[in-house]
Amino acid sequence: MEELINRIMAAAGIDEGMATNAVGIILGFLNKEGPEDKMQLIFDALPGAQALVDAREENGGGGGLLGGLGSMMGGGMGAMAALNELNSAGLDMDGVQSVAKELISYAKEKAGDDVVDDVVSQIPGLSQIL
């Protein structure tokens, strides 16, 4: 995770805490909305990713009211809830896109293009953020 966090800090111009939080938000969203088998391949390829998502869930990370509504409604609403959570964490739209693009690029390097593209294509609204 350290390599990924460092790359995101450089790409988005943010500090380590914000980068780690943003990665946790995005991976948590992908884990909820993406196909379980493909997400497991991504988590296996990104050591520490599952622990980061688990820690966020244990600490009540999840976007508050909008995150809860997004989870209940799924699809594009889930993407909007994740975007809202990233904005609340201090990222503007450019920052969100920088973090998401770097995370996707890194995941493709580690888990393979096909796996990551399959996850992205199955989540409504995600391509609009990327």
Side-chain angles (χ1 to χ4, degrees):
M1 288 271 47
E2 186 177 333
E3 178 185 356
L4 172 60
I5 298 302
N6 287 335
R7 283 175 53 169
I8 287 175
M9 288 169 36
I14 57 178
D15 66 28
E16 183 176 0
M18 187 177 288
T20 302
N21 190 30
V23 169
I25 291 167
I26 294 170
L27 287 174
F29 163 71
L30 294 175
N31 193 41
K32 285 180 186 168
E33 302 289 333
E36 189 175 328
D37 60 331
K38 302 293 183 186
M39 282 309 301
Q40 188 58 56
L41 292 172
I42 291 173
F43 283 136
D44 290 347
L46 304 177
Q50 185 69 59
L52 181 62
V53 170
D54 292 346
R56 279 188 43 70
E57 288 178 7
E58 286 175 19
N59 293 327
L65 179 60
L66 278 179
L69 286 172
S71 294
M72 286 187 287
M73 299 186 76
M77 193 60 193
M80 290 306 298
L83 180 59
N84 179 64
E85 191 173 355
L86 289 162
N87 289 152
S88 295
L91 288 172
D92 61 14
M93 193 58 187
D94 288 339
V96 170
Q97 288 177 327
S98 292
V99 170
K101 286 178 182 177
E102 194 63 36
L103 174 58
I104 294 299
S105 174
Y106 186 81
K108 285 181 175 185
E109 289 172 23
K110 302 298 182 182
D113 289 359
D114 292 345
V115 171
V116 177
D117 288 342
D118 196 28
V119 170
V120 171
S121 71
Q122 291 190 39
I123 301 175
L126 183 56
S127 62
Q128 290 144 347
I129 295 171
L130 298 173

